[in-house]
Amino acid sequence: MVVDPVRQLLRRGPSALSLALVAVFGVIFFHAIAQRQAGAEVVRLIGGVQGDLSLPLALLRTPVSLYVPALDLPVWAGITQLFLAFALAELTLGRARTLAVAYATTLMGTLTVRVMLALGPGWWGLGLPPEAGQVLDTGPSAAVVGLFTYLSVVRRAPVVFTLTGGSMVWESITHPNLAGREHLIAVGGAILLGLLHGRGQPWRGALTARLRSWTSGGKEPEDTLSAADESHPSAPEPVPTSPPGIPHSGRCHG
C-alpha cells in the first residue's frame, strides 16, 4: 500500500499526483464558492445530486459531485482523506482506473438510493421514505471510501480494509442516515470491482487475437502461429533404416 506508491512518486516526480491535486483544489474551490448564499445555490445546481432528481440530470451532475464537499462535515479533514485516497490510487492504479473506480462507486450509491426510494418505507429497513430524496448525496466521501476499499482488496491489505469497511459499518449503526447507506454501498461495490480486477485480461487477449485474425484476411497472425508451433512441435522426420547386412551409409565394403 505504501512502498510501491512511494517508489512511483520518486521515479515520476510530482506530476504523478496531478489527479490528486486536481481533486483537492476542486473541493477547495467549490467549498469557497459555497460560503455565500448565491455561490451555494450555484454549487447545488451544477453538482448537487438528490434522490428525487430526474435520472438524466443526476447522471449529468454526478461527475461534478465528486468535488462538492458536504456542508455539515469539516472540509479540511475531508481534504486530507481525499488527497491520500486519490494519491495512493493514482500511483498504484493509474489515472484512468482511479477515475473509473471513484466514479463507479459514487454512481452505485446514487442509483441504489433511487431504488430504495422506489421501494418506500419498510422492506426490512431497506426502503427509504420520500423525504430522503431531498437530501444531498455524500459528495467525494463515497469515492474516497470506494478507492480505499478497492486498493485494500487489490493489494491484499486487511488492516486498511478493516479500518475502512469497519468504520463504515460502525457509522451506519451509530448514525443511521443516507450517507451511511451510500458509504456501505460504495464499500460493497469496491469489493466487487476489486475481486474482478485482472479477470478480464485473458478475455481481452482472446478478443485482440480474433480482431487481428479478421484484419489479416482470415489468416492467423504470425505470433499466434509461432506460439502454436512451439506448443505443438512437429514430429521428427523418420530416420531411414537399411536392410540387415547393409550399412546405413550405402557404401559397399569389399
Side-chain angles (χ1 to χ4, degrees), residues 119-215:
L119 293 176
W123 289 87
W124 298 283
L126 295 178
L128 290 172
E131 54 268 20
Q134 302 176 2
V135 180
L136 290 175
D137 71 347
T138 59
S141 60
V144 171
V145 171
L147 287 174
F148 273 127
T149 304
Y150 183 87
L151 285 173
S152 64
V153 173
V154 172
R155 306 295 291 185
R156 295 177 174 85
V159 175
V160 178
F161 178 82
T162 302
L163 291 175
T164 304
S167 62
M168 294 302 101
V169 173
W170 178 253
E171 176 191 5
S172 301
I173 295 175
T174 57
H175 302 286
N177 52 19
L178 184 62
R181 295 193 180 202
E182 291 186 352
H183 289 160
L184 286 180
I185 295 167
V187 169
I191 292 174
L192 179 62
L193 293 176
L195 294 176
L196 295 176
H197 177 76
R199 296 294 180 87
Q201 292 180 358
W203 180 83
R204 288 195 296 267
L207 179 60
T208 303
R210 179 60 60 184
L211 290 176
R212 289 178 179 176
S213 175
W214 289 343
T215 55

Side-chain angles (χ1 to χ4, degrees), residues 48-50 53-63 107 110 114:
V49 178
Q50 303 169 190
L53 282 177
S54 63
L55 183 58
L57 186 57
L59 295 177
L60 186 63
R61 293 183 181 180
T62 298
L107 190 61
T110 300
R114 302 176 74 89

Side-chain angles (χ1 to χ4, degrees), residues 68-163:
V68 178
L71 299 178
D72 56 343
L73 295 178
V75 65
W76 295 110
I79 285 177
T80 303
Q81 298 177 8
L82 178 73
F83 177 79
L84 287 176
F86 273 85
L88 289 175
E90 184 177 4
L91 292 170
T92 304
L93 308 173
R95 296 188 183 97
R97 190 179 293 274
T98 298
L99 284 175
V101 173
Y103 181 74
T105 51
T106 301
L107 190 61
M108 287 177 188
T110 300
L111 297 180
T112 307
V113 166
R114 302 176 74 89
V115 175
M116 294 179 180
L117 289 172
L119 293 176
W123 289 87
W124 298 283
L126 295 178
L128 290 172
E131 54 268 20
Q134 302 176 2
V135 180
L136 290 175
D137 71 347
T138 59
S141 60
V144 171
V145 171
L147 287 174
F148 273 127
T149 304
Y150 183 87
L151 285 173
S152 64
V153 173
V154 172
R155 306 295 291 185
R156 295 177 174 85
V159 175
V160 178
F161 178 82
T162 302
L163 291 175

